[in-house]
Amino acid sequence: ILSDSPPEKEVQWLEEGIISSFKFIQKLWNLNSKVIEEIKKDHKNEHNNEVTKYTNKFIEKMTKNLDTFGYNKLIANMHEMYSFLIKQVEYGYKKTTLKENYKKILIAINPIVPHLSNECLEMINSEKISWPIYDLSLLREEKIKIVIQINGKKRGLVESKIDASEENIISMIKNDEKIMKYLDNITIKKKIYIKDKLLNIII
């Protein structure tokens, strides 16, 4: 119900919604089995720290959406979490890393699916439970995608470090064949750069 209807609007009751919710709970249960399987493997090395960064962002979103009664957003957050974790867990993480982050995720979804959350927490032997705190320093992205427009029309994206200069963005464009095909032998009249968001090239 909450995934379809924000609390301030009229509630929409649909039996199809119950079926959809049941299927998603089953997905979360299957995800739990997969995570426990990976925890048992206790990989010696970690592929990256993406699971820690994502967990931090997830907790921030869940905390804020609970505080503002954004229940439909909470459901969307959970779907995003599932899509991320079901793939990311395959990269291999140390037991402590995976268990600690998964525990935080389970606590964050507890207000929405308490029975599932408590069962999963018990399975990973988590006894002391308190609401996880997110780290503001981990919320800052190291790299972002800049939209490249030509005469106001989107022609591509370039990945850049935060606070990159216009000159750096232009250098990246010159190495992007898909964007450069629109600029070959063309005189650029003007460039409009909105830092960390977009660069519009007027020709």
Side-chain angles (χ1 to χ4, degrees), residues 35 38-44 46 51-52 92-104 124 126:
V35 171
E38 289 299 316
I39 288 174
K40 289 179 179 176
K41 290 180 183 178
D42 191 14
H43 298 280
K44 301 303 176 187
E46 293 182 324
V51 73
T52 300
Y93 288 92
K94 293 179 180 178
K95 179 179 180 179
T96 51
T97 301
L98 189 53
K99 185 176 178 180
E100 184 59 32
N101 283 289
Y102 186 51
K103 175 184 175 181
K104 291 177 181 178
I124 61 171
S126 292

Side-chain angles (χ1 to χ4, degrees), residues 147-158:
V147 175
I148 306 302
Q149 296 180 339
I150 297 177
N151 289 343
K153 189 171 183 178
K154 182 180 174 181
R155 294 302 186 184
L157 295 166
V158 295

Side-chain angles (χ1 to χ4, degrees), residues 40 90 160 165 193 195:
K40 289 179 179 176
E90 294 181 350
S160 157
S165 66
Y193 180 45
K195 187 172 281 189

